[in-house]
Amino acid sequence: MTALSPAEFIWMDGRLVPWDDAQVHVLTQSLHYGWAVYEGIRAHETAAGQAVFRLRDHIARLRRSARVYLMDIPYTDDELIAATTELIGAGGPGPRYVRPLVYLGYGSMGVALDLSAVRVTIAAWAWEEQPTRNWRLMTSSWRRNHQDTIPPLAKATGAYLNSSLAKIAAVRAGYDDALLLTASGHISESSAANVFLVSSGVLHTPPVEQGILPGITRSTVLELADVAGIPTVERPLSHAEAYTADEIFLTGTAIGIVPVESVDDRRTTTEGCGPVTEALRDAYREAVGGKSPAAADWLTEV
Ligand code: PMP
């Protein structure tokens, strides 16, 4: 759980409104049917001021998610990018978490949703927090949404019923996060992050076709591994491979790169942050912090 730290404004349907006035009607369609798509983006402090990491890629994924759910976003990518930087700029200096949401507003009620009622909002608030210790994972008894049920490649609010069921159960059992398996029993992802295993110096992660969110941090890590000369393989991973890996880590915009020390109480060989995880975490921090000239294209200055 992360407490909200209110900012001055929220961008709603084309204009900045005061934080407390950013309200919706209780009969908002998305509230009843979970039909909305969203993004989680971060702006980091760099030597040149605030910069948003891979903003264009996040907006592109938002639009792809919206397409799955038949919602036409009535703004161009450039307009959404300008809205995001305007909003962050209006909030003053410091790191930010940014949450665009595309949803169906008030207007009708029923499963045959009124798809013309598309609304767009973007919120940004101060958020520096990141896990500082290694995580212990518990395999969830809940399976990841099946691709033919609720496709995990779209970041839809309703899909997070599955993530929250798994995360809450794991936290109640004393773990940091859940490891979710696909319907076929392969490793998919955690409640809100992608999973990587390191075995004999090779980086392994499940392919997107297996039913995971195509994480932007995941794709960043694959590129950084390539630059660092770390071999990578995208392939289906059996559950038990999580018990024999040398290193395991999670990737996500909110958490960055978090080393995993155990899965179901089986400790990784390195029992925490191994050398491959550490090298990639350092490279990632440099990229988001604007300290890597090669990663400059990934940053949008505010
Ligand atoms: N999987 C799930 C289910 C997620 O919610 C997230 C967070 N958006 C991720 C993976 C990681 O994606 P990203 O690196 O783009 O934040």
Side-chain angles (χ1 to χ4, degrees):
M1 250 187 323
T2 308
L4 278 171
S5 119
E8 201 172 344
F9 299 110
I10 289 188
W11 188 94
M12 275 185 104
D13 303 309
R15 61 192 185 93
L16 295 181
V17 302
W19 180 277
D20 288 338
D21 296 345
Q23 309 281 352
V24 295
H25 197 280
V26 291
L27 296 181
T28 295
Q29 296 180 78
S30 295
L31 202 53
H32 294 251
Y33 300 104
W35 190 281
V37 297
Y38 73 101
E39 274 301 316
I41 308 174
R42 279 180 87 147
H44 302 261
E45 271 300 334
T46 71
Q50 287 158 310
V52 190
F53 192 64
R54 300 194 65 170
L55 177 55
R56 196 167 282 283
D57 296 322
H58 279 283
I59 298 296
R61 187 172 67 185
L62 181 70
R63 199 173 293 280
R64 284 197 301 275
S65 298
R67 278 172 57 192
V68 172
Y69 290 97
L70 298 163
M71 292 188 285
D72 283 327
I73 301 177
Y75 301 96
T76 64
D77 286 10
D78 286 339
E79 285 169 338
L80 293 175
I81 287 168
T84 303
T85 53
E86 180 195 4
L87 178 70
I88 296 171
R96 289 286 180 284
Y97 182 78
V98 183
R99 170 58 61 87
L101 177 77
V102 178
Y103 64 102
L104 297 177
Y106 175 89
S108 75
M109 197 46 70
V111 176
L113 297 156
D114 173 6
L115 295 163
S116 69
V118 174
R119 304 276 179 272
V120 183
T121 179
I122 308 172
W125 59 90
W127 188 17
E128 214 161 346
E129 205 179 297
Q130 223 152 351
T132 48
R133 51 183 188 79
N134 305 330
W135 278 10
R136 296 169 58 245
L137 302 187
M138 180 188 93
T139 303
S140 183
S141 57
W142 298 101
R143 292 289 167 110
R144 188 84 185 107
N145 293 322
H146 191 279
Q147 317 210 50
D148 298 332
T149 306
I150 297 174
L153 65 75
K155 197 166 166 61
T157 57
Y160 282 80
L161 291 173
N162 178 239
S163 288
S164 296
L165 281 170
K167 175 84 178 187
I168 290 168
V171 169
R172 287 190 171 185
Y175 295 85
D176 298 292
D177 199 0
L179 178 67
L180 286 114
L181 305 180
T182 65
S184 61
H186 292 92
I187 293 171
S188 66
E189 50 192 342
S190 83
S191 65
N194 292 115
V195 181
F196 284 83
L197 311 185
V198 181
S199 290
S200 308
V202 178
L203 199 54
H204 302 257
T205 198
V208 172
E209 311 85 81
Q210 272 230 299
I212 58 166
L213 184 78
I216 287 168
T217 320
R218 172 186 183 278
S219 92
T220 304
V221 162
L222 288 171
E223 286 196 43
L224 294 173
D226 198 36
V227 171
I230 300 165
T232 59
V233 188
E234 293 179 61
R235 66 170 177 86
L237 299 172
S238 69
H239 181 203
E241 286 184 77
Y243 297 160
T244 57
D246 296 328
E247 302 176 39
I248 303 178
F249 61 88
L250 301 178
T251 64
T253 300
I255 60 169
I257 296 179
V258 176
V260 170
E261 74 177 41
S262 65
V263 176
D264 302 328
D265 303 325
R266 277 81 163 181
R267 293 167 77 85
T268 60
T269 319
T270 51
E271 302 193 351
C273 190
V276 174
T277 307
E278 196 173 358
L280 290 167
R281 190 166 63 170
D282 290 348
Y284 179 74
R285 284 181 178 158
E286 284 188 7
V288 299
K291 292 186 188 125
S292 160
D297 285 354
W298 280 335
L299 296 172
T300 302
E301 284 178 19
V302 170

